[in-house]
Every structure is written in structure tokens, then in C-alpha cells.
Amino acid sequence: QVQLVESGGGLVQPGGSLRLSCAASGNIFSASVMGWYRQAPGKERELVARITSGGSTTYADSVKGRFTISRDNAAKTVYLQMNSLKPEDTAVYYCNLKYPAISYPIYDYWGQGTQVTVSS
């Protein structure tokens, strides 16, 4: 059983920054693909960024150059550094773990979500 606990959301002005954290329990973190997704009101959940166990990253076009995903396997934590935030980044952000890979994962866990609101 894996639990994912997100933190770091909040209210920020346009152009500001936030760093989200997601702490995982269990013993499969280092071998898992970690991702950040978001869901805005009335919209489908979408991938924001993903990082493999080997450190390869993928970003949605809308956040490239502004967001950075990273992981600390010793701390079992994945981060999302969000800079130059825009109102359209407003959403609930969810942490996701897929083990051992994106395709046909044996385990697929979600966090409870953290609200990010970008507004002046």
C-alpha cells in the first residue's frame, strides 16, 4: 500500500512561484514513475509533468520552461517547482505514482490533491 501526501499549494499572484511536494510511503518510490496532474473546474484531468525512475522528464507544452519536476529518492518525495504562474494554471494538482512503468502499471496511486490558485 502506498500513500501520497501533497503539500505546497496556495494562492499566488500572476508571475509568482510555488513549489509543490509529494511525499510517498512504501518501498517502491525509487522504481516508480512519478507524475503531477491537474484538474481545473469543468475540465478533464491533464498531465503536467512526469519523471521516470531514471530521471527522464516530460512536460505539457503549456508549462515547458516554467515548471520543473524533480525527485529525491532518499526522501521518497517528488517536487514541482512552478514559476511565472498564470491564472490558467489555477487547478487542483494531483501527485501520481505508477509502478513499474506508465504502460500497464501494477500499481497506480493518487494523492488527495492540493489547490493552486493564481489570481491578483
Side-chain angles (χ1 to χ4, degrees):
Q1 185 73 12
V2 171
Q3 289 188 326
L4 302 174
V5 179
E6 300 109 331
S7 61
L11 173 64
V12 63
Q13 292 187 343
S17 298
L18 282 175
R19 188 173 85 151
L20 305 183
S21 299
C22 171
S25 64
N27 298 313
I28 60 173
F29 178 86
S30 63
S32 300
V33 179
M34 300 301 301
W36 286 99
Y37 293 72
R38 67 187 180 187
Q39 187 166 19
K43 295 188 176 182
E44 293 187 354
R45 191 173 296 189
E46 62 175 358
L47 175 69
V48 175
R50 176 190 293 143
I51 185 166
T52 68
S53 58
S56 296
T57 57
T58 302
Y59 295 94
D61 287 344
S62 59
V63 308
K64 282 181 182 177
R66 299 189 298 123
F67 290 10
T68 302
I69 189 171
S70 60
R71 64 191 297 161
D72 182 339
N73 288 335
K76 296 190 229 180
T77 301
V78 62
Y79 305 97
L80 185 68
Q81 178 67 43
M82 305 186 294
N83 299 329
S84 303
L85 282 160
K86 304 175 181 180
E88 50 264 44
D89 294 317
T90 296
V92 178
Y93 284 70
Y94 297 90
C95 178
N96 175 256
L97 178 150
K98 296 189 193 305
Y99 172 85
I102 301 168
S103 300
Y104 307 105
I106 297 173
Y107 301 118
D108 190 350
Y109 292 100
W110 293 90
Q112 82 286 356
T114 186
Q115 176 71 46
V116 171
T117 302
V118 184
S119 175
S120 54

